Each structure stands twice: as structure tokens, then as C-alpha cells.
Amino acid sequence: MCGIVGYIGKRQAQPLLLGCLGRLEYRGYDSCGIAILGSSTEVYKDAVRVKELEKASPQFTGTAGIAHTRWAPHGEPSRINAHPHCDCTGKIAVVHNGVIQNYQQLRQQLTSEGHNLVSETDTEVIPHLIEKYYNGDLEKAVAAALREIEGSYAIIVSMTGEPALVVARRDSPLIIGIGDRENFIASDVPAILDHTNMVKYLEDGDIAVITPDKVIVRSGGVEIDREEHKILWSVEDAQKAGYEHFMLKEIHEQPRVIRDTLGGYISAPEPVTDLALPGTTDSKNTLILACGTSYHAALVGKYVIEQLAKTPVRAELASEFNYSGQASAGDRAIVITQSGETADALKAIKRLKDEGCRVIVITNVVGSTASRLADHIVYTRAGPEISVAATKSFIAQLIVLYWLALPYSTADVRKRGNQIRGLRQLPVKVQQVLDDDTPIMECARYLSGFDNVFFIGRGINYPVALEGALKLKEISYIHAEGYAAGELKHGPFALLGSGTPVVAIASPDNTYETMLTNIKEVKARHSPVIALAAEGDDIIGELADSVITVPQVDPIFSPVVNTVALQLLAYYTAKERDCSIDFPRNLAKSVTVE
Ligand code: F6R
């Protein structure tokens, strides 16, 4: 996610802002830049690290300025797309976090009015709109520009000759750090904690005018006093936004991640150019390839596309496909990779392209190698994932897969409408899982005492069992196996007993009754059972030893709520065992060897 910082005061702004940007590096970024307000506005930016920017940038003189780390949502990482962005005169500079949904219309309109927009970003429309409305009052021009914008933003605006910075927010965080005859602005507390621990949090719709001595906040044109808060966290704590680990923070970000991913791509689900599923236009195959957690998303994707579009799909491990898988010219392949750098996924993409397949890449990282190799890219909007264990990127991948599949749904109009509504309700449902984590913590305390655990699921929740087991083993070091519930009796039964708990996913779909039978079989072998069931299930409590309840959703979306519950189960179990949760032993965030 992008980071923004601003400063106005008595010190030279350039070194101070670069230091603040360095404090935001942990969030991940692909480019950065600064604008310093002296007798003119001086901008320096590039697709480089903050340290490199510091070395390469000329020394600018000025005691006010703005700065940005960009994590490209669209528009490749490049000097031209990096922030700050300026108007035609070069006097107005803007840094922005968020997504402007109607930027294409605004861009066309501004271009037809003679504005020269040079980047591929949505942000660049903002300085040009401000230029258009500027009539001697920067705050009014910002307010007028923002009235035209649909979407989310946290912005800082500077203008040559203006003694103040103007900032505003909607659906993107922005704080003001209060200093002694100097003030700071940032998207995140860690950016400014070296300088002040007194902050005001802006609310949606606020516009503030900031000078070295004053902060004037207005909401709806009326001046308003936003309370000052003292931050008691260290910089490291602040980077985790108060959560003990990045993993927990990232799990809790998931309602926002779903909203952002849907907001970025779905006005109404529309077919993706190049996807055209088999059965709809021709007889070519559809393959989904990935590794690790992304492979579990691929398996859910297989079920989703098969159920919605009633057409066969193959999901394979990229590492296996590379040696034995088959693909033919014209086949459509979806490769899922959070990092876009996983060696096996890249090798698969190259092979698919050599075979003449069309390759759609689902990735979280703009400009990654996978995105550069793809014929068609679909970005997840999870934001940078710091914790080695993938959580929010998996959920974002599922959301993209639903979006890819929904246009091909064979359901009638009413059912399809319900499915789209169900998808949009997921942030609220996930929030319910996050809010109701006490039973999950209790189950985690119990599980933490065992050395072996089975996770069982059926149908669309079989991959969720695999993912639940993977999360548990990688961060808690408990040996965990994910199994298709029907397969337990074909071997693993030999391992069941009072020392081997089973986590059973019992979602209310066409597999439910059989899952109840499987739970009874497991109980008969004395294995303790933790059931993951939907709200309103009155039967499961009589069979299982403990129940984790998740909200009711359309069965096709059950992997989302179930996975979030299992992520929390793994997290709290690992915490009980005092493990290195964010950086588990022997693991790397990006696996660049085969
Ligand atoms: C598990 C995990 C890994 C990755 C796998 C693929 O929590 O993070 O299993 O899912 O290494 O990585 P990407 O998606 O970057 O290709």
C-alpha cells in the first residue's frame, strides 16, 4: 500500500521527509518521490528505493514538502507514474493514497479542456482538477476538485507561493502530527513517530489547512476540533498498527481487502477479455496453476468455475505441471502467484506460452516478473503482505476468481443477482468472524497441546482443509494434514485416536450430511473433533467436542469465511506455542528457486 508524508515547519523538509519515508518501507513499495516547496516546487521521483532516491536526488531548499511511497495499483512502477503528480504549471503537487474510480472520465474531460496528463495513474487528475478550480484559494479549489471524485483518497496538496499544505481524506487513513512550530502529515503513525507522538486523526470528509503553527480542520465547510491523541507505541508496534504480529494485522485487514478488490474490478461482473471459458465459445481447456497457498486458491477456483459455468477445469501444482502436465495451443491458463516471483509459477508461464496457451496471471505485485510475462493480468488488491504466511492475499485471490467466474454463471437472473449480492456482503461476514474469535482462541489453546492434527473438508471446502492444515503447520510447527473427508478411511484412520484431533469443516451444502457421518466415524476412533459450522446449525454441537461458528453465506462463498476462521485458529495456536509467527523457520516470502 502506498504511504504518504508531509511536513511544514522550520527544518529543511527534504532530509526529514526522506527519513519519514524510510519508516514506511516495511509496507512495501515500488517507487517513491518528493516535492519540496521553496521559491518554486521541486519534484524528484523514480521507481527506486528510498535510499537510492536520497542519493540521486538534487538538494532542494525549502521548509515544507510532501513525499510518497507508491505500491502500484495500476500503471507500471516508473518515474512518470511515481508521486508527487503536478498540474500543467508545475506549481501544484499532490500525493495520494486510494483509488479514484471515475478517473478515466475525469481524464478525458480534463484532456478535452486542454490539460496535459502524462502518467497512467488515477492520481494525476487531482492536481489538474485543483488547477482548474483554483481562484486564489487553495482550500476551496481542493474542495471543488474532490466533489468531482468518486472513490477513496488521502491526499496532501502543496502549491508554490501558498503558506500552507492542504490535506483531505475519504476512506483512506490520514493523520496530522503536532510539533512545536512544525506539523507533520502521514498515512501511518510510524512515519512521524521519530518527530512527534501527538496526533490528530482526520475523519472521512475532512479537509485541513496546515501551517507550521496551525491546523484548521473543516468538515462540510464547518470548522471542527479533532482531538489530539498521544501515541504510546514504539515505531515497530506502530507499523503493526497495534497488532502483536503482522499476520494478525493482515488477517484483520481482510474486510478492507475484499472491498478494495471488489471496488477495483466489479461494477457489474464482466467477462475478462481472453478468458472466454470452454463451453462458452470453443472446446479449449482451462487450467489453473499455482504453488502453496495460491494452489489452494486454484483448487477453490476450479470448484467455483465448474459449479458456476458447468464446465471442466484442471487445477495443478505449477511445480508438477512443469514436468508432466499437458497443455495445447489455444488453452486458457490462469496462473496465480501472490508475489509474481515464484520460480515454479514463472517456469509454468513460460512453458504455457511456448505451447501457445493464453496466460492470465492473478498477482498481488504490479510489475512483478509474472505480470510482465502474462497475456492478461488481474491484480489482487491485498496490499503488501509482510507476514510469510499468506492470508489476505489468498482471500483476495478467491475474490478475483469469483469475479472471473460469475459472468459465466449458468444460474438464472435471480440466482445470479443473489450471488453478486452475496459476494458484496462478504466484508461484513468476514468482520463477524473476526469479531467473534473467543471460541477460536479456546480451540487454539486446546490444539496447541497436540503434535498431529487432521483437517477434513468436502467439495469446495476440501481446499480449505488443505489451507487450514498448511497455515497450522507453517506457523505453529504442529504436523497437520488436510484431507478430503471421504479419503480418511482409505489409510489415515490408522492414525486416529485420542492424541490426534480432527478439524472438520461442516458447511451447510450438499456435502453436509456425509460430513456428519464422517465426524461420527472419527469420533468412533476417539479423535477429538473441532467442527467449523455455520450459524444456526443445531445438530453439530451434539457430535463435535467443540464448534467454531461462522456466518451463513451462499455455499460457494463458504471458503472465504471458513478460511478466515482457520487462519485465526492457526495464528492463536502458534501464539500459544510462542512461535515466530511472522517469520517461521526455514520459510521465505518469495520462493525463487525450483
Ligand atoms: C503459505 C505461503 C506459500 C505461498 C507459495 C506461493 O502461507 O505463503 O505457500 O503461497 O510460496 O507463493 P506465490 O503465491 O507468491 O507464488
Side-chain angles (χ1 to χ4, degrees), residues 111-131:
T111 308
S112 71
E113 289 166 4
H115 290 261
N116 181 23
L117 281 78
V118 294
S119 77
E120 298 166 279
T121 65
D122 53 347
T123 301
E124 200 185 359
V125 299
I126 305 175
H128 287 274
L129 283 171
I130 297 172
E131 178 188 13

Side-chain angles (χ1 to χ4, degrees), residues 291-294 336-340 342 388-390 397 470-471 474 591:
C291 307
T293 287
S294 297
I336 309 176
T337 166
Q338 182 282 131
S339 62
T342 300
V388 165
Q397 289 165 353
L470 178 62
K471 282 295 89 91
E474 69 177 322
V591 183

